[in-house]
Amino acid sequence: MMGEPPDKPSPPVVGKVAHDIVELHWDQDVTIESENSQGGRRRYCIQEQEERQRKEFGNVYNGFSRSHVFRGLEPNNTYQYRVRVSNDFGDSPWSSVITVTTTKVPLIGRDIHRAILNWEIDKLEAFLNESEDSLVNVVDDLGMSPLMIASQKGYSSIVETLVEHGAQVNYSNASGKTSMMLACFGGHLSVASYLKDHGALLDPKDHGGSNALHWAIDGDKEDIVKWILECGANVDELDDSSWSPLMRLANLGGSAAVAKVLIEGGAQIDRPDKTGTTPLMAAAVNGNIEVCKLLVEKGAGLTLTNKYGRTPLEFAESFDRKDVVQFLKNTLEGKLPTTED
């Protein structure tokens, strides 16, 4: 008895759809036994038509499988598919057409980071609103969260947007840095104040033992150092090098204006580090004449020695800090300076 070609099949069934793939299934109910009794192994042809191209259907699959993943598709584009079945006796009619639209390209953290760096707040808000998975806390290649990037830059409107979308205000990266530390280092008082009002802490330390006050000292910004102290920070908090903020300033070449804020905030003038070095000694080594003058004016010990028996004057002489040497000699001889000298 002569066999017959397959009947018209049902249209393909859509499986997974992404921005660049479409998964289709077809003829799932057919068994090997039914194939053998109905004209041999069934072969399938899938045709595709892309809406934007407005071309005729073209073959995109030929074979025996009853499913296939079509890759390399355009994002947010509409495609049509149909299937035809063949056996030993011929071809079926084409199935009805199904229509599938691929998704948009998924947003990634890099999109968020780029919008922040370019201060594109409208684009940032659109990204945060349309992303299926929250990207507000996705870190960049350096472990910086979006909020850390914005805080470092001082982009207050973007900081507010990120916090409103659930940014973690106390997130710390692999080195222990936080958004608050970076805002303080940059001297971005409005950002730091906003972060604090929304739960950010000033006390946490990074892996070098530095908290927000230490970072503000490194940034050498007078107003933010004063604000941190007004918030109740310990003016003599030590980092892992046993440096107080005043000692840190003296070692890093900070300004006399910031040093004055620390001193007026109660900083111990002669608090030494673990080697017995005082802020005046450190300022003398670095040739920071203005800080030396301020420290002396506020009562810093001129004849104190570190663990190796060296005085501030000897530190200055060993590094050939001529201005500091002359100043300290004059002071020791009773010629009292002022910060205006």
Side-chain angles (χ1 to χ4, degrees), residues 76-281:
N76 198 29
N77 196 16
T78 300
Y79 296 86
Q80 293 184 323
Y81 294 93
R82 63 184 182 182
V83 58
R84 185 181 66 192
V85 187
S86 303
N87 63 13
D88 294 342
F89 302 106
D91 302 328
S92 74
W94 287 102
S95 71
S96 300
V97 172
I98 61 159
T99 300
V100 187
T101 300
T102 52
T103 62
K104 295 180 180 180
V105 176
L107 293 168
I108 58 176
R110 190 176 296 110
D111 298 313
I112 300 294
H113 304 148
R114 187 179 298 112
I116 293 171
L117 290 172
N118 294 333
W119 206 340
E120 297 173 318
I121 188 166
D122 292 339
K123 184 178 289 187
L124 174 64
E125 288 182 339
F127 286 162
L128 294 173
N129 289 330
E130 72 179 57
S131 60
E132 294 182 6
D133 300 319
S134 177
L135 298 176
V136 73
N137 293 307
V138 174
V139 300
D140 65 10
D141 294 339
L142 300 176
M144 296 271 284
S145 72
L147 185 60
M148 291 176 72
I149 296 170
S151 299
Q152 183 182 49
K153 294 291 185 181
Y155 296 164
S156 55
S157 57
I158 289 181
V159 166
E160 293 174 13
T161 297
L162 292 169
V163 171
E164 289 169 2
H165 281 80
Q168 299 175 13
V169 295
N170 286 307
Y171 165 81
S172 60
N173 66 6
S175 62
K177 296 180 180 65
T178 66
S179 297
M180 177 63 82
M181 294 174 189
L182 296 176
C184 291
F185 174 75
H188 307 307
L189 181 54
S190 62
V191 170
S193 179
Y194 178 86
L195 290 173
K196 184 177 184 299
D197 289 344
H198 289 79
L201 303 175
L202 290 165
D203 295 334
K205 293 185 175 182
D206 64 17
H207 298 335
S210 300
N211 62 16
L213 177 57
H214 297 115
W215 277 88
I217 294 300
D218 293 356
D220 203 36
K221 301 297 190 299
E222 182 180 353
D223 57 345
I224 202 157
V225 170
K226 184 177 181 181
W227 172 77
I228 294 172
L229 295 179
E230 290 173 347
C231 290
N234 179 5
V235 72
D236 287 317
E237 185 72 29
L238 302 182
D239 62 17
D240 285 358
S241 298
S242 76
W243 288 355
S244 68
L246 185 59
M247 173 62 84
R248 192 177 181 105
L249 179 146
N251 274 293
L252 298 180
S255 67
V258 173
K260 184 177 181 181
V261 171
L262 292 172
I263 294 169
E264 291 177 348
Q268 297 181 37
I269 297 290
D270 288 322
R271 181 160 190 163
D273 65 10
K274 56 190 175 185
T275 67
T277 300
T278 66
L280 180 57
M281 296 174 193

Side-chain angles (χ1 to χ4, degrees), residues 298-326:
K298 298 298 183 179
L302 289 163
T303 58
L304 292 175
T305 60
N306 70 354
K307 289 183 177 180
Y308 308 102
R310 303 182 70 184
T311 66
L313 177 58
E314 289 171 329
F315 270 107
E317 288 175 333
S318 64
F319 283 84
D320 198 27
R321 306 301 190 187
K322 292 183 173 59
D323 290 347
V324 176
V325 169
Q326 189 61 52

